[in-house]
Every structure is written in C-alpha cells, then in structure tokens.
C-alpha cells in the first residue's frame, strides 16, 4: 500500500507532496504528480500546509537510560530539597518488598533554597530500610542513603555522594533487570523520542543500568529482528574494561554489524564527568571551587589501548569530554591513532570546555563532533562561574565546529529530554551566550538531520526527504524557518513517520 502526503510545506523543497511506498519515499513532487500514482486502496493524508522535515537524528543519547528515567521518580522539575523529599516519600509508599527507591534528574542549581546535593543524612531521614539512590541530572553524581551504600559495599562514603565510575559500583548492587523490564524501558524511550520527532539515535546503553553489554545487546538484536523498533538505534558501545571489549570483538561484533534498526556504532569512552557536578576534568582549578580540577576516568595509556584495539577492527572511537583536560588527554590518546582525514570518524562527544589550541587541533584532525546545543538551556547560566570568562569564551564553539568538522547535534537524554526543537532553537539563540557561535536556522536543522545521518554513515538513506530514502519524517504545525528563533520550541510535532508508518500522532 502507498501513502500520499499532500499539501505539505517541505523543508528545502518547492514541492508539496510525498509518496511513500512501504518504508521508503517513492516520489517528492507536486500534488498532481503524486495523486496520479495512487489507486483507491492507497491512503491520502492532507497535511493542510503543515511543515515536513526529515525525522530528527539525535546523535548522542542513552535510550535505555531514558526509558529507565521515565520509570523512576523524576526530579527534573524539582525546585528544592523539601520538594524532593515529598516526591520520594510519595513513591516510597508504593514500593514492593525488595525494591529500591530510585530517582533521577534534579539539578541543585535550580533549587530555590540551598543549592546543595542531597546527602546520606537527608535520605536516611526518608528511609533507613529501603535503599535510596538519587542521581543528578548530569548522571555523574549520585546520592545514596546508608542502606544503599551498605548493599553496594560503599560504606566509606561519608556524605553518601558517589561520583563517576563509583556510580557503576552502586548500579551493580541494584536488583537485576530482566529482559522484559529492559524491553519496557527501551519501548518507553522510543515512544518518548518519537513524540519529539526523533527517528534515529546514536545511543549509549550497555552500562546504563546493566553490568555488561550482553543483555542490552541481545535484547536490541531480538527487537530489531522482530521489527519491533520504531527507532533506528546506532549503538555507542561502552565497556567496563579492555578485556570486556576484546570479548565483544571476539564474538564477531564490530562497527556496522547489524541492520538499519539496530547497528553497532563506535566504541564509547566516558573520560570525565560533568560541568554541573564539577567533575569534568579541567586543566586549571574550577573558577568557583579552587580546590578541584575534576576527575579523569582513564589514563592516556588506557585510552590508547582501547583506541588501538578499536582501530584493528575498523571501529571508530568516540570519547565523552566535557573539560579541557579531558580533551588534552583524548587528543594525546588519538595522536598517531587517527588516520589522515579521519576516515573512521573518531570523535569527541560534548565538545564543551575547549581552548582555541584544542579547537585548532580538532579541526586539523577532522575529528567528529557530537554536541548538545540543548545544554545551553542550563549551562549558559553557570559556565562563566565554573571556568572563568576567558575559557568560557572559547567554549561551546558550535558554529566553528559545524563549519569545519563533521558535527551533529543531540540531547544526551535523559540528561535533557530528546527535544530536538528546543535543541534547534538553542543552537541559534545560544541562550544569550557568545552569539558569534550561533548556527543559522538551516544549519541548526541540518545538525539534527543530515549531519546526524552523516555522523552515523547513513547519509545515503536517512536525513533527507528524497526518493529512495527511508520514509522517516516529522510533521510540524509551524514552518520553523519562518518564525523568530526563540519561538521554535513552541512548534508542535503533529506526526512522526518512521519506516513509512505513523509512530506518533498528536
Ligand atoms: Zn552521554
């Protein structure tokens, strides 16, 4: 059966209609061109002038983490510790025997009372018997009560605040997820992404809530073979250590193995923490906390071992870097391991705190850049405090990266929601920060469509509205190229098509 979308306003096109056959676009033409090609049994959808874009590509997020986040106590709108306490108590009363109280998403910078993280004592006052874990919005800091610390054998933590790799130690103590729970999280994450018009993601899932890669990998493979995924997932593969990565490669997995619903993407290294939690690795102490320079999770040598092993299997490496010391170390680990012109697309995820000399090296090496303009929603207010005016000025250089490297946009969900429209808006407005690095509206849209496709080596089949491309489309009520930039987030996703099917409808 065919589907004809007529009376559409199509991004970057003078045409007004799209004919879909099965999962692909057959024709982009005028209404009459398309209507001529259909029979009575085909479907005609009149879009009444609505704006059609390629489905959004969120090039870095955590799909399982997003689904999990949507299932636990959500604290993104939490305004104070008192408010947090109420929300935790409300969930506590619904828990069954053996369950943990798990919450996520607070940001103490937005609290109206003391701007502090919850501590062990605060959480013990909520319960001493039920283990409680509260993760900060960035995912790099977790507060635990005494019971949770005991079960994780982390009793040495005085204030109950656990950071970086130690968070994985707590995760290991959580009740094990089984396949059906994982499927539930994946499907919740997919539904959320579709509602924001997202049809393809680069997603880092192996260690989000599981101890190792096997269960998430097998579950994604199964769902993709059964065609039960309304989202294309390009897996950014994170491992506990090099031995585990070797085991994965020995099993025959490497970059590009899979299908267009689930495919193995690059090796992912989480090298430092976050700016919000002051755990991002900085070359100089934090401007607003002179006693700390953040945390590095790997030595340069450890990273080199990973990168060289990935290179042997033609697998790109992408490294999470927020602070400039993390970028220094990653550039050192990449030295000699990135081939001329960077054909494998080795890259840097986040690209936040950067010095000019590092930007020059990133451009010279043609490193792939995965940025999240949506971070400016919260970071614009704190970056100067954290790193000082001089370093803030060369940070978040989105336009420079966009114009000189392969750069794509994303949300890092569940750090932020996969709200591509807000991301597009902030790539333009930058929330008032250093306007010289603003993208044009077309660049901002492309950073969420064709550039994302390019980043994932899928530019021949997604990211564009053209014949033979997958019918992955998003329909908006507003032509966002024609409104003031600060109104883009008000546009509504009316429909999302993925593989020719309607997967979201308002
Ligand atoms: Zn991430």
């Amino acid at each position: 059966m065919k589907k004809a979308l007529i009376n559409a306003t199509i991004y970057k096109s003078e045409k007004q209609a799209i004919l879909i056959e099965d999962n692909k676009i057959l024709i982009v033409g005028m209404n009459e061109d398309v209507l001529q090609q259909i029979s009575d049994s085909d479907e005609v959808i009149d879009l009444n002038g609505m704006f059609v874009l390629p489905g959004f590509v969120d090039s870095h997020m955590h799909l399982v983490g997003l689904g999990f986040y949507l299932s636990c106590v959500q604290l993104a709108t939490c305004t104070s510790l008192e408010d947090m306490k109420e929300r935790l108590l409300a969930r506590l009363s619904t828990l069954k025997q053996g369950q943990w109280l798990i919450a996520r998403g607070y940001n103490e910078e937005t609290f109206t009372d003391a701007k502090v993280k919850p501590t062990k004592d605060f959480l013990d006052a909520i319960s001493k018997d039920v283990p409680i874990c509260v993760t900060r919005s960035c995912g790099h800091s977790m507060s635990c009560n005494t019971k949770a610390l005991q079960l994780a054998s982390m009793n040495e933590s005085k204030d109950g605040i656990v950071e970086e790799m130690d968070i994985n130690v707590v995760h290991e103590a959580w009740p094990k997820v089984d396949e059906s729970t994982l499927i539930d999280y994946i499907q919740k994450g997919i539904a959320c992404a579709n509602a924001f018009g997202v049809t393809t993601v680069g997603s880092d899932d192996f260690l989000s809530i599981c101890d190792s890669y096997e269960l998430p990998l097998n579950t994604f493979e199964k769902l993709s073979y059964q065609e039960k995924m309304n989202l294309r997932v390009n897996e950014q593969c994170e491992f506990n250590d090099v031995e585990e990565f070797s085991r994965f490669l020995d099993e025959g997995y490497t970059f590009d193995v899979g299908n267009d619903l689930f495919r193995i993407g690059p090796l992912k290294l989480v090298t430092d923490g976050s700016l919000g939690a002051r755990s991002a690795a900085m070359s100089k102490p934090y401007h607003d906390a002179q006693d700390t320079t953040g945390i590095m999770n790997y030595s340069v040598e450890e990273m080199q071992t990973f990168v060289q092993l990935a290179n042997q299997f033609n697998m790109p490496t992408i490294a999470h870097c927020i602070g400039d010391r993390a970028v220094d170390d990653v550039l050192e680990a990449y030295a000699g391991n990135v081939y001329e012109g960077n054909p494998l697309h080795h890259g840097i995820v986040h690209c936040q705190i950067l010095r000019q000399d590092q930007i020059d090296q990133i451009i010279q090496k043609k490193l792939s850049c995965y940025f999240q303009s949506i971070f400016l929603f919260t970071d614009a207010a704190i970056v100067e405090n954290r790193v000082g005016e001089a370093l803030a000025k060369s940070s978040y250089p989105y336009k420079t990266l966009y114009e000189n490297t392969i750069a794509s946009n994303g949300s890092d969900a569940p750090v932020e929601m996969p709200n591509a429209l807000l991301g597009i808006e902030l790539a333009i407005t930058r929330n008032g920060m250093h306007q010289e690095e603003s993208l044009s509206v077309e660049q901002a849209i492309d950073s969420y469509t064709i550039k994302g496709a390019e980043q994932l080596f899928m530019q021949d089949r997604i990211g564009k509205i053209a014949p033979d491309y997958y019918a992955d489309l998003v329909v908006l009520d507003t032509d966002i190229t024609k409104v003031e930039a600060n109104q883009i987030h008000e546009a509504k996703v009316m429909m999302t098509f993925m593989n020719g099917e309607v997967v979201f409808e308002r």
Side-chain angles (χ1 to χ4, degrees), residues 60-62 204 268 320 349-350 412 415:
H60 175 69
M61 58 123 73
H62 307 261
D204 168 356
K268 166 91 187 296
H320 157 117
V349 181
H350 304 311
D412 203 17
V415 176

Side-chain angles (χ1 to χ4, degrees), residues 306-484:
F306 269 111
V307 177
Q308 286 163 1
L309 185 56
N311 271 355
Q312 285 175 28
F313 288 81
N314 285 328
M315 194 163 175
T317 302
I318 59 172
H320 157 117
C321 296
I322 303 226
D324 67 331
R325 180 157 54 100
V327 178
D328 278 336
D329 286 6
V330 165
L331 288 172
E332 199 181 332
Y334 280 169
N337 292 316
V338 173
Y339 310 131
E340 184 73 34
N342 192 20
L344 283 180
H345 291 198
H346 289 304
I348 295 184
V349 181
H350 304 311
C351 307
Q352 282 173 239
I353 307 306
L354 290 169
R355 304 185 310 265
Q356 189 57 48
D357 62 293
Q358 298 178 319
I359 298 171
D360 296 343
Q361 278 196 67
I362 288 170
I363 292 171
Q364 189 259 327
K365 282 194 158 65
K366 277 212 161 314
L367 294 182
S368 282
C369 296
Y370 297 69
F371 58 71
Q372 291 78 29
S373 50
I374 198 165
F375 281 4
L376 292 172
F377 189 73
T378 46
D379 287 4
I382 63 163
V383 64
E384 274 200 21
N385 270 337
R386 288 283 193 277
V387 305
E389 200 189 326
L391 194 48
K393 206 164 184 320
S394 56
S395 296
Y396 305 78
Y398 298 151
K399 189 182 175 74
T400 302
L401 296 176
Y402 184 90
E403 292 180 346
N404 296 287
T405 69
I406 298 175
S408 58
N409 215 331
S411 65
D412 203 17
V415 176
E416 295 291 338
M417 281 294 106
N419 186 342
L421 288 170
L422 182 58
I424 289 168
E425 171 173 321
L426 286 162
I428 305 166
T429 65
R430 293 179 60 85
N431 207 359
M433 211 179 106
H434 300 296
Q435 300 293 310
E436 64 278 8
E437 288 290 346
S438 293
L439 299 191
S440 70
V441 65
E442 283 206 352
Q443 288 176 327
I445 293 171
D446 290 353
S447 75
Y448 256 108
T449 52
I450 190 66
K451 291 289 176 181
E454 218 177 298
Q455 198 72 281
L456 309 181
F457 291 93
M458 293 179 83
Q459 69 275 20
D460 60 341
R461 53 203 190 277
I462 63 161
K464 235 194 222 180
I465 300 178
D468 286 333
Y469 274 65
Y470 283 124
D472 295 357
L473 305 166
V474 50
V475 180
L476 304 179
D477 66 344
T478 310
D479 179 348
I480 56 170
T481 65
K482 299 267 157 60
V483 298
E484 290 295 325

Side-chain angles (χ1 to χ4, degrees), residues 45-162:
I45 302 172
D46 186 342
L47 292 178
N48 285 312
M50 287 195 289
F51 190 54
V52 184
L53 292 152
F56 294 129
V57 179
D58 188 324
S59 68
H60 175 69
M61 58 123 73
H62 307 261
L63 187 66
V64 169
L66 173 62
F68 172 71
Y69 167 76
L70 296 170
S71 312
C72 55
V73 182
Q74 292 177 52
L75 300 173
T77 56
C78 183
T79 54
S80 64
L81 283 175
E82 210 38 51
D83 179 17
M84 183 186 295
K85 189 174 187 176
E86 269 171 42
R87 296 181 195 214
L88 293 175
L89 284 170
R91 178 65 67 95
L92 184 68
S93 61
T94 69
L95 290 181
K96 296 190 198 88
Q97 185 73 28
Q99 284 186 316
W100 289 44
L101 177 54
I102 296 172
R104 184 173 171 143
Y106 82 90
N107 179 354
E108 75 282 6
E109 299 294 332
T110 64
F111 286 176
T112 49
D113 53 359
K115 298 192 190 308
V116 294
K117 295 171 185 164
T119 60
K120 181 170 75 179
D121 294 342
F122 171 83
L123 297 173
D124 279 346
I126 293 165
S127 177
K128 283 203 161 74
D129 307 317
V130 174
I132 308 178
C133 296
V134 178
T135 306
R136 198 177 178 279
S137 59
C138 62
H140 291 265
S141 175
M142 177 195 273
S143 305
C144 301
N145 70 347
T146 303
K147 185 77 186 177
L149 293 169
Q150 273 167 3
L151 291 172
S153 308
M154 296 275 294
N155 301 307
E156 66 280 9
S157 172
K158 281 200 178 64
D159 57 3
I161 296 171
V162 178

